[in-house]
Amino acid sequence: LLQNVMKSPVATRSEFRIRNKAGEWVWIESVSQLLYDPQGKFEAMIFTGRDITDRVTSEAKHAEEIFRSFEELKEAQAAERQEREFADALRISAAEMTDTVEQDEVLDRIMRQARDIFKPDCLNITIMEDSVPQIVRSVGYEQFGITPAVDQTHDEGSTLLKSQLSAPIRVDGEVIGTINLEKAESDGFDAKTGLNLQTFADQSSVA
């Protein structure tokens, strides 16, 4: 600080932090200036300082609030964008699935659309046959060396898939099957994804 003052022909303003007698850290704003006589000879140095801890604290709090508001805005915009993308994906999915009446083709399209929209590590579809759920389509399990199970409790590598999410496929109020998603990461699905999967399953039942 002193070196800066000695080099400057005008008043030097600085902000720095020091520990006071109570052992607390405080912010100080200082103004320093050298005084010279008419012959240019150094006479004295004026130094003033004041405690600006409250101001610095208030500015930091304000900056944090601005940052938090900005982050909340980004999250809201991201959520809105995801909603639009999901709505667009549903429209495309509906157009594709209602384009055929062949069950095998419908199931294939449901699988493809579910994988594109929700991006699970593994995915399977069950259909009720004589009141017993049977897996009729599955994908992704081979990469984990796992055989898909109806109850999602795998005999081998069960610890590899830590998140599961299912939605019933219903026709006239009767459950005719389920769409089941799985991920290797913990907490891989949130409540919003659950609602979206159910919307997708309800749309699939129309096909």
Side-chain angles (χ1 to χ4, degrees):
L1 177 60
L2 182 58
Q3 290 178 347
N4 291 336
V5 172
M6 297 300 291
K7 293 177 181 179
S8 175
V10 297
T12 301
R13 186 181 302 273
S14 303
E15 294 182 5
F16 54 89
R17 197 171 66 142
I18 62 172
R19 194 187 295 272
N20 62 18
K21 292 181 179 180
E24 302 170 330
W25 286 101
V26 295
W27 281 94
I28 300 296
E29 179 186 63
S30 71
V31 178
S32 308
Q33 186 169 17
L34 300 180
L35 297 180
Y36 300 89
D37 64 16
Q39 286 72 42
K41 184 179 178 181
F42 171 74
E43 283 189 332
M45 180 176 71
I46 299 176
F47 176 87
T48 60
R50 64 188 181 109
D51 187 336
I52 58 169
T53 303
D54 289 344
R55 191 197 79 191
V56 172
T57 302
S58 177
E59 290 174 350
K61 182 179 179 181
H62 182 59
E64 183 180 349
E65 290 174 350
I66 292 176
F67 177 77
R68 188 182 302 115
S69 298
F70 179 67
E71 289 298 306
E72 290 174 353
L73 176 61
K74 286 202 303 182
E75 291 177 1
Q77 290 175 335
E80 183 180 354
R81 183 172 60 255
Q82 290 173 355
E83 284 292 327
R84 289 198 303 268
E85 291 174 351
F86 180 66
D88 290 341
L90 278 184
R91 283 193 291 270
I92 294 172
S93 174
E96 285 197 6
M97 287 189 289
T98 56
D99 189 43
T100 181
V101 294
E102 295 293 332
Q103 183 177 14
D104 287 343
E105 181 63 23
V106 169
L107 291 173
D108 289 340
R109 293 185 180 187
I110 291 174
M111 287 286 291
R112 183 173 61 254
Q113 291 294 334
R115 197 172 192 185
D116 289 345
I117 293 172
F118 300 103
K119 297 177 173 55
D121 293 320
C122 303
L123 163 68
N124 73 73
I125 296 177
T126 68
I127 295 296
M128 301 296 290
E129 297 181 4
D130 297 327
S131 300
V132 178
Q134 302 291 335
I135 295 177
V136 293
R137 292 289 188 282
S138 67
V139 67
Y141 295 93
E142 61 281 355
Q143 63 182 315
F144 297 97
I146 297 173
T147 301
V150 170
D151 60 1
Q152 295 177 308
T153 303
H154 310 286
D155 294 333
E156 299 177 354
S158 59
T159 59
L160 297 179
L161 297 174
K162 299 181 176 64
S163 301
Q164 293 83 32
L165 183 65
S166 298
I169 302 172
R170 297 170 292 205
V171 175
D172 296 329
E174 180 182 354
V175 175
I176 64 168
T178 58
I179 300 175
N180 310 292
L181 314 179
E182 300 191 70
K183 280 189 175 183
E185 63 181 295
S186 299
D187 301 320
F189 303 107
D190 56 19
K192 183 61 178 177
T193 305
L195 292 174
N196 286 347
L197 180 60
Q198 187 58 66
T199 301
F200 177 80
D202 290 342
Q203 177 177 279
S204 300
S205 67
V206 176

